[in-house]
Amino acid sequence: FQLAVFPLPGASWTATRLLAGYMLLYDDQGVSLVYGELHAHCDNTAGFAAYEDDACKVQVVHLAIDTNTCVSERVGIDCSCFSLGDHHFSTRTCAEKMLWLRAISNVKVKLRHLAATPSPTELRFYRSAVREQINSLPPTGEPEPVPALLPRRRSNLSQLPRAGPGLSALPVMSLQASPKPDSGGFNGGGPNCQASEPVALLKDNGSDGGVPPPAE
């Protein structure tokens, strides 16, 4: 649906409409979808009505707006909730909420300064200004992807260099043992030991203990 600014043909009670659109209403009966409508000021008061649908034939809420009417918004990330008097509403987007709050605030400013009831020409100017703001709203079609508010931290392991063009693999330390210089045997070496040539183990008869070579 689109936000509206013009009154409905044949519905005289919408003649002073400034802004209208669907929103959610929260009350003691739960949450329901309503069609809200803001009216221009008249005789030091303004009005806000909520209907069952955009036909505006069944009214479910009517609020009188004066200089003492409390208007507030709920603070939160992309929050679209606001309060008007004792009633709580929620629009489709945060941008729509700000448009409603701005329109209601402008009406209250005129009430505070005891502005005269607007003429049909002035109402056209008011609606033109509201329509300009509606056209500047971001589109409300497919929701745009929102990046993570708390992105996952990359592991330090991913920062290690890898072998590839222009890069060499990380060196691997040898843990081979080195022979004792006095006994000819092997001694377990530490990480800093270097490898030596293997030494053949001989039996008492002078032959090694390996597998005999194949016969020719």
Side-chain angles (χ1 to χ4, degrees), residues 103-123:
I104 296 173
S105 177
N106 289 343
V107 171
K108 291 188 63 177
V109 168
K110 291 178 172 57
L111 292 174
R112 189 176 298 112
H113 290 84
L114 303 177
T117 301
S119 63
T121 302
E122 290 174 327
L123 283 177

Side-chain angles (χ1 to χ4, degrees), residues 159-194:
Q159 306 297 329
L160 295 177
R162 292 180 171 84
L167 293 176
S168 59
L170 294 177
V172 179
M173 187 172 294
S174 174
L175 299 180
Q176 292 180 341
S178 60
K180 283 187 177 180
D182 53 348
S183 61
F186 286 91
N187 181 25
N192 295 326
C193 297
Q194 297 180 353

Side-chain angles (χ1 to χ4, degrees), residues 51-91:
Y51 305 91
E52 284 189 348
D53 52 34
D54 55 0
C56 301
K57 293 182 179 180
V58 180
Q59 187 178 100
V60 295
V61 173
H62 183 273
L63 302 175
I65 300 177
D66 56 26
T67 57
N68 297 320
T69 302
C70 180
V71 182
S72 61
E73 63 174 323
R74 295 294 178 265
V75 179
I77 299 176
D78 292 334
C79 182
S80 59
C81 302
F82 70 96
S83 297
L84 179 60
D86 296 331
H87 294 72
H88 307 284
F89 301 93
S90 177
T91 59

